[in-house]
Amino acid sequence: MLNEREIESCYLGQFIPVHYHHNMLMDQNRMHGFKSAIDYAVKPGAKVLELGGGTGVLSWFAAAKASKVYCVEFNPDMVKEARKFLAKNPNGEKVEVVHADAFEYLPPEPVDVVICEMIHVGMLREKQVEVIESFKRRYAERFGGPLPVFLPEAVIMAVQPLQQEYDFEGFYAPIVQFQETTVIYPGTVEMSQPAVYSIIDFNQPNELIYAWQGKFVVERNGEINAMRFVTKNILAVVQERSTTIDWLNHYMTLPLATPVKAREGDVLQVSFQYRAGGAIPSLQASLKAEILYEAVLQPAQQIPVFA
């Protein structure tokens, strides 16, 4: 019999299907961003650990400079895939694919860089935050300080009110949608500017609960019936250039249980709470939006006129 976490892992986190990993190989934005960040962060001769290695591609990027890479993968099918692919690529022999649980594994020696890409929009579904926090505690107990460099280094999460079209050939279906960040969708209307609700710095201790309440000034008349969640991953901070290497997840748009009619100038209040790695419905269940102040009810300002 599987325990609760093992049952969940069949759908989430470290145990996502093989074809999903293949799709990630074809995501050019993801691949280019990680390759650039790893090339910057991994110094010649470094020791590197990847938690949740999948096909092994990020470990392979690291092997271009590293002397040794430990690639930890929980899914036995992906362990076979990674070993097969790495054997076909130069420097693949530097990568040791370890069949283990990232929640429990520690390398046999200190490492310089830890790569972990268990990232879903809003840090939902996959176990990035929980895995890294667990690793930091266990690593410090065994090896002491300093901790390795983590890649990604940080995550910025934001939320934005939308008017979202849910008509599918006449069939009304308010569903969760994932949208590419570079595409303009005619059925999506931004009702206000996004607001940052959490910044995760993996070099610092992080909580696993995100609870937020914030306000937005509505910019146009319409119906707010969805919230867009934005996740920007700071893969590496390039200090000498005062810039960053980033990767932006697809936007996630969640329908509101109760849409809100709004006019330009109204103040919208939004609140939600969820756990890192939790299911999307757990966020949906807590998501609430209401008009806090109506613009038409605010007293008009009298501007003095001077002769």
Side-chain angles (χ1 to χ4, degrees):
M1 294 291 290
L2 298 176
N3 62 37
E4 183 178 355
R5 202 182 83 187
E6 289 170 331
I7 292 171
E8 184 184 56
S9 74
C10 293
Y11 304 96
L12 313 175
Q14 302 177 69
F15 219 94
I16 59 179
V18 172
H19 69 268
Y20 188 87
H21 287 278
H22 294 173
N23 289 339
M24 289 191 284
L25 285 175
M26 296 186 289
D27 186 335
Q28 294 184 348
N29 288 333
R30 173 184 180 273
M31 293 286 283
H32 180 73
F34 272 97
K35 185 176 183 180
S36 298
I38 290 169
D39 180 66
Y40 173 78
V42 176
K43 308 306 179 187
K47 304 291 177 66
V48 177
L49 169 66
E50 183 182 5
L51 299 172
T55 59
V57 63
L58 303 187
S59 288
W60 182 74
F61 289 157
K65 289 184 177 179
S67 61
K68 177 70 176 182
V69 183
Y70 300 96
C71 177
V72 178
E73 175 55 46
F74 189 47
N75 183 339
D77 292 333
M78 290 313 307
V79 170
K80 294 177 184 177
E81 290 271 286
R83 288 172 177 166
K84 178 180 69 176
F85 293 146
L86 287 163
K88 298 177 183 292
N89 286 275
N91 295 317
E93 73 281 357
K94 293 184 184 180
V95 181
E96 179 182 342
V97 180
V98 182
H99 184 200
D101 188 336
F103 279 106
E104 300 172 357
Y105 181 82
L106 279 174
E109 59 183 330
V111 295
D112 303 292
V113 178
V114 173
I115 302 167
C116 185
E117 199 280 86
M118 300 182 187
I119 299 170
H120 189 279
V121 182
M123 295 293 113
L124 288 158
R125 302 192 75 232
E126 300 192 51
K127 305 301 183 183
Q128 177 86 6
V129 180
E130 190 174 353
V131 165
I132 294 296
E133 293 307 304
S134 170
F135 173 82
K136 288 191 291 190
R137 289 192 298 270
R138 293 180 292 107
Y139 186 92
E141 288 174 1
R142 175 174 293 184
F143 299 114
L147 289 172
V149 172
F150 292 95
L151 196 158
E153 292 195 38
V155 176
I156 301 172
M157 298 190 290
V159 64
Q160 181 180 27
L162 299 181
Q163 179 174 286
Q164 180 64 49
E165 178 62 66
Y166 289 117
D167 183 283
F168 302 93
E169 295 294 331
F171 182 67
Y172 176 70
I175 59 171
V176 178
Q177 297 185 43
F178 293 91
Q179 299 177 337
E180 294 185 28
T181 58
T182 56
V183 176
I184 296 175
Y185 293 88
T188 301
V189 178
E190 298 179 358
M191 299 296 287
S192 184
Q193 296 301 307
V196 172
Y197 67 86
S198 182
I199 298 176
I200 303 169
D201 181 350
F202 287 114
N203 295 302
Q204 303 295 328
N206 291 291
E207 299 294 330
L208 298 180
I209 300 295
Y210 307 115
W212 187 79
Q213 180 174 284
K215 300 179 182 66
F216 300 86
V217 178
V218 178
E219 296 182 350
R220 53 186 55 83
N221 299 342
E223 181 181 73
I224 297 169
N225 63 351
M227 299 298 294
R228 168 189 282 168
F229 286 81
V230 182
T231 303
K232 181 178 181 180
N233 303 284
I234 310 300
L235 301 184
V237 177
V238 185
Q239 295 183 358
E240 55 267 33
R241 296 182 183 176
S242 299
T243 187
T244 58
I245 301 172
D246 305 330
W247 170 47
L248 192 62
N249 285 79
H250 285 181
Y251 297 140
M252 179 177 69
T253 300
L254 300 186
L256 289 171
T258 306
V260 177
K261 292 286 187 183
R263 298 181 63 83
E264 180 182 352
D266 287 354
V267 175
L268 178 77
Q269 180 171 276
V270 174
S271 63
F272 55 83
Q273 178 175 311
Y274 66 97
R275 187 179 192 277
I280 294 174
S282 69
L283 168 55
Q284 284 184 285
S286 72
L287 187 56
K288 294 180 175 58
E290 61 180 347
I291 297 297
L292 197 60
Y293 302 109
E294 295 184 31
V296 295
L297 299 181
Q298 301 308 306
Q301 291 186 349
Q302 298 294 326
I303 302 176
V305 177
F306 299 94

